Amino acid sequence: GENPVTCCSVDDSMLRLKIKIAGGTEGSRSTVPAAAQAALESYLDQEKDAGLKYEIVNENSNFLKIKATVWYDPLLVDPSGYAVEDALKTYVSGYEFDGLLNRNNMVEAMRSVAGVRMVRISQLQTKYAGGTFADLGEQKRPECGYWNIQDNDMDISYVRYTKTDIA
């Protein structure tokens, strides 16, 4: 049958193997079914060297929350069209599995929308496994291997761009 594990990363920096797994496809990652995880654990138990410790991470996505201001050209951007929000969702959901997400690349994703002149992220937070949102910092690797952002976690303020000083 079809392999339920479509993404995997292995980190051996903490005296054990940390194996992050996910199913689904790019843009629609998901946890791996319990039976498939059990089969992987059984295989690892049979094949690993004596004393090797491992941890399998098979959790729902890390979630992002963003608050940003977007200065836009009103001839090219309709703020009610959600083009910036759509660009963010596409960027986040298609991000490289277990890759470092950084604030600068998120600005670039928003600036890729035609007519967006400037972007300021005032808040960028993440939460994992039912925790609470906390500051992402400049860049972060997701604890579970992949990211997601919900519509209600994007607070984008649109301001018409003008060629004047902006505080």
Side-chain angles (χ1 to χ4, degrees), residues 69-73 107 110-111 115-120 157 159 161-162 164 166-167:
T69 303
V70 171
W71 285 268
Y72 69 98
D73 180 337
V107 167
M110 290 185 278
R111 288 196 67 228
V116 171
R117 299 293 182 232
M118 296 184 346
V119 172
R120 177 189 301 147
S157 299
V159 178
Y161 177 77
T162 58
T164 60
I166 298 172

Side-chain angles (χ1 to χ4, degrees), residues 58-80:
N58 181 25
E59 299 285 340
N60 287 322
S61 67
N62 283 70
F63 285 94
L64 291 169
K65 186 177 200 176
I66 187 169
K67 184 173 185 175
T69 303
V70 171
W71 285 268
Y72 69 98
D73 180 337
L75 298 175
L76 299 173
V77 175
D78 174 6
S80 65

